[in-house]
């Protein structure tokens, strides 16, 4: 459903480069989520070109985040560089929500490269601040095995329902958890 909505919105914005640019980060996120990496790549390329053409710092931040998201999905270690650039850009623009998203993606990139300590180091400040208003004590973060272990502890306390928000874009990682 999300894929159809974004596609329709992009079609409606055909020929309107800036209007499309605001939709392209969602296009990348949805395309990565459904495993359409060619579509995500085309959206990253278009967004990067538009950001450069209009010399827009906001679009540059969005393009860096989108590139990092795609690189993360393809297992490209360059994701760390793109996401660090995104964090710097969003920080300079004072856009804390986008800084948080880029930091969480960078944490995934660190984990993907086997750097669990680095993953924790870059993501922990976001979690400590209460990601999306969540009580930091109620937030469970980690590999699928770590999350399952933490949930088992809740089950032992008698809890039988949890609300889960996956931050991973990789379908296999979400399903494994």
């Amino acid at each position: 459903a999300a894929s159809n909505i974004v596609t329709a919105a992009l079609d409606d914005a055909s020929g309107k480069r800036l209007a499309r640019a605001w939709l392209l980060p969602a296009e990348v996120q949805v395309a990565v989520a459904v495993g359409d990496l060619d579509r995500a790549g085309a959206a990253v390329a278009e967004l990067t070109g538009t950001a450069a053409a209009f010399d827009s710092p906001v679009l540059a931040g969005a393009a860096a985040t989108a590139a990092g998201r795609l690189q993360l999905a393809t297992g490209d270690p360059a994701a760390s560089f793109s996401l660090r650039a995104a964090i710097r850009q969003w920080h300079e623009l004072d856009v804390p929500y986008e800084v948080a998203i880029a930091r969480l993606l960078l944490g995934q990139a660190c984990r993907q490269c086997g750097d669990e300590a680095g993953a924790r180091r870059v993501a922990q400040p976001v979690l400590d601040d209460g990601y999306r208003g969540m009580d930091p004590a109620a937030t469970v973060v980690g590999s699928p095995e770590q999350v399952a272990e933490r949930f088992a502890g809740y089950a032992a306390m008698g809890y039988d329902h949890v609300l889960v928000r996956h931050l991973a874009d990789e379908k296999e990682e979400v399903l494994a958890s």
Side-chain angles (χ1 to χ4, degrees), residues 53-130:
F54 288 91
D55 193 26
S56 167
V58 172
L59 291 179
T65 302
R69 185 182 298 278
L70 175 59
Q71 291 161 332
L72 181 62
T74 62
D76 184 347
S80 294
F81 297 108
S82 297
L83 293 165
R84 288 180 197 284
I87 291 166
R88 280 191 303 276
Q89 187 68 33
W90 292 126
H91 185 70
E92 286 174 15
L93 294 168
D94 193 26
V95 186
Y97 176 78
E98 295 296 342
V99 170
I101 295 300
R103 286 183 75 100
L104 292 171
L105 289 169
L106 178 58
Q108 290 178 38
C110 291
R111 183 173 293 116
Q112 193 174 71
C113 291
D115 183 5
E116 190 65 37
R120 180 67 61 180
R121 187 175 55 255
V122 297
Q124 196 62 51
V126 176
L127 303 173
D128 289 346
D129 287 344

Side-chain angles (χ1 to χ4, degrees), residues 27 48 70 77 108 130 149:
E27 171 79 338
T48 301
L70 175 59
Q108 290 178 38
E149 182 179 316

Side-chain angles (χ1 to χ4, degrees), residues 9 15 26 40 42-43 59 62 67 79 82 110 131 144 164 172 177:
L59 291 179
S82 297
C110 291
Y131 175 71
V164 176
E172 292 79 18
S177 65

